[in-house]
Amino acid sequence: MFDNLSDKLDKALHVLKGHGQITEINVAETTKEVRRALLDADVNFKIAKEFTNRVKEKALGQNVLNTLQPSQLMVKIVKDELTQLMGGESEGIDLSGNPSVILMSGLQGSGKTTFSGKLANFLKTKKSKNPLLVACDVYRPAAIDQLHVVGEQINVPVFSDRENKDPVAIAKAGIAKAKAEGNNVVIIDTAGRLAVDEKMMNEISDIHKAIKPQETLFVVDSMTGQDAVNTAKAFNDLLNFDGVILTKLDGDTRGGAAISIKSVVNKPIKFIGTGEKMEAIDVFYPSRMADRILG
Ligand code: GDP
């Protein structure tokens, strides 16, 4: 994951190594290389610029020039700033409802159905919850089948209604079923399309308004880089969602979406998907990710 970025940042920061004393020019050169590494990783230009300006300011403010090991201090400053950029503290999900309703949003192919299963499995095995999955894609019968397959795999019940073409009614019926059967979490998988379009946005907005979920999560394929960030903005403008799920991080070699998304939508990344299997889910910890990036 992000090998190229890690490599480039490592090179940029270690230019300072061996300098007993460094100059303002050394700091400027290093931050320039850091910025180049971020841009190569497909981080938004404005974010990369602001990031390196903050690093430079901090470095000069903390008197990097007079420390014994300037490269170590620079690594720490970059790590702290990366952590802040990706969200600071890690944030959990709200499970206080009875049932807690979690609405999934995002484009087709982003990994919503897979993640719905992963989250159900995570909440069942790690948080002792008793989830119900609800299939609200009324356009693709295969999507309903897929959720049933996932449910069987993890032994979690799935509610669907193939005759009903009204996703709001299906979502409400799913919640009613959970209440009747004692499921304390309801995860609602919705229809996505290949790109943001009005019909899909109206539909997810209608479901959102009707069921008032505790958590609205936006699922996005991290491999789509800047597109992921733009799609996140469109969904957030509409839904004011609670958190981002970054999927396919196992295939993302650049890292631009992971680094940029929080500062564009100002919402935390809550989980990451790291493979196709049901166990390939991790809580997102910004500081651990920064550690990984900087090696
Ligand atoms: P949906 O249309 O948003 O419901 O997307 P799906 O859940 O059907 O996922 C689309 C494809 O991405 C499937 O082939 C999944 O197996 C795959 N996928 C989902 N999450 C991940 C992940 O974290 N890593 C990898 N490598 N593949 C994933």
Side-chain angles (χ1 to χ4, degrees):
M1 203 190 290
F2 311 165
D3 286 349
N4 210 7
L5 174 63
S6 298
D7 237 32
K8 287 193 174 144
L9 283 177
D10 192 50
K11 282 201 187 99
L13 291 165
H14 283 82
V15 169
L16 297 179
K17 221 176 187 170
H19 287 271
Q21 267 220 314
I22 57 168
T23 65
E24 221 166 289
I25 294 169
N26 296 140
V27 172
E29 275 169 3
T30 304
T31 49
K32 201 165 142 197
E33 286 304 315
V34 168
R35 183 189 306 183
R36 196 168 290 158
L38 292 174
L39 291 176
D40 280 350
D42 201 20
V43 172
N44 168 288
F45 178 78
K46 193 164 158 262
I47 293 171
K49 191 170 168 200
E50 287 168 0
F51 179 87
T52 40
N53 283 345
R54 279 197 304 276
V55 167
K56 199 153 128 190
E57 248 172 55
K58 254 192 168 176
L60 297 175
Q62 291 185 14
N63 227 350
V64 114
L65 307 185
N66 292 326
T67 54
L68 284 175
Q69 287 172 312
S71 77
Q72 271 181 14
L73 185 54
M74 276 302 272
V75 170
K76 185 178 179 313
I77 291 170
V78 171
K79 203 172 262 184
D80 289 349
E81 285 298 322
L82 261 182
T83 304
Q84 279 310 313
L85 192 61
M86 290 188 291
E89 295 296 306
S90 155
E91 314 222 5
I93 55 174
D94 181 358
L95 296 171
S96 63
N98 196 19
S100 301
V101 178
I102 303 172
L103 178 66
M104 297 293 170
S105 66
L107 297 181
Q108 185 180 320
S110 60
K112 279 188 306 301
T113 304
T114 308
F115 184 76
S116 298
K118 287 178 181 178
L119 182 61
N121 191 42
F122 174 87
L123 294 176
K124 183 180 153 183
T125 56
K126 302 271 191 316
K127 306 275 174 194
S128 306
K129 293 286 175 184
N130 176 18
L132 174 73
L133 288 160
V134 177
C136 274
D137 189 336
V138 296
Y139 310 100
R140 294 187 312 131
I144 302 177
D145 297 340
Q146 190 190 345
L147 196 65
H148 278 281
V149 170
V150 160
E152 265 167 42
Q153 245 176 296
I154 56 174
N155 211 5
V156 164
V158 176
F159 175 79
S160 64
D161 181 353
R162 291 173 200 270
E163 305 310 313
N164 198 333
K165 296 294 170 209
D166 176 3
V168 172
I170 301 171
K172 283 184 170 169
I175 296 168
K177 186 172 162 69
K179 280 184 182 154
E181 310 222 331
N183 300 101
N184 47 16
V185 177
V186 183
I187 298 173
I188 300 182
D189 188 18
T190 61
R193 278 177 234 278
L194 292 174
V196 172
D197 82 9
E198 206 180 321
K199 196 166 176 226
M200 170 184 68
M201 294 309 249
N202 286 340
E203 182 177 302
I204 187 80
S205 169
D206 286 346
I207 302 175
H208 184 253
K209 278 184 201 144
I211 64 173
K212 300 186 179 59
Q214 262 76 45
E215 282 277 332
T216 303
L217 299 176
F218 169 69
V219 181
V220 69
D221 176 346
S222 63
M223 292 199 289
T224 58
Q226 283 306 298
D227 277 348
V229 178
N230 295 334
T231 312
K233 188 164 181 335
F235 274 82
N236 192 46
D237 287 348
L238 182 78
L239 300 174
N240 191 19
F241 57 63
D242 301 292
V244 177
I245 310 302
L246 268 186
T247 62
K248 310 187 195 180
L249 233 71
D250 49 312
D252 178 20
T253 51
R254 299 217 283 169
I259 294 170
S260 316
I261 218 158
K262 162 70 170 48
S263 55
V264 173
V265 293
N266 199 22
K267 296 289 165 62
I269 300 169
K270 295 201 170 184
F271 288 93
I272 54 175
T274 55
E276 295 187 86
K277 295 215 172 82
M278 284 296 111
E279 295 75 28
I281 169 177
D282 281 314
V283 175
F284 182 77
Y285 295 103
S287 59
R288 283 191 207 168
M289 186 57 86
D291 278 344
R292 260 165 100 161
I293 293 173
L294 288 175

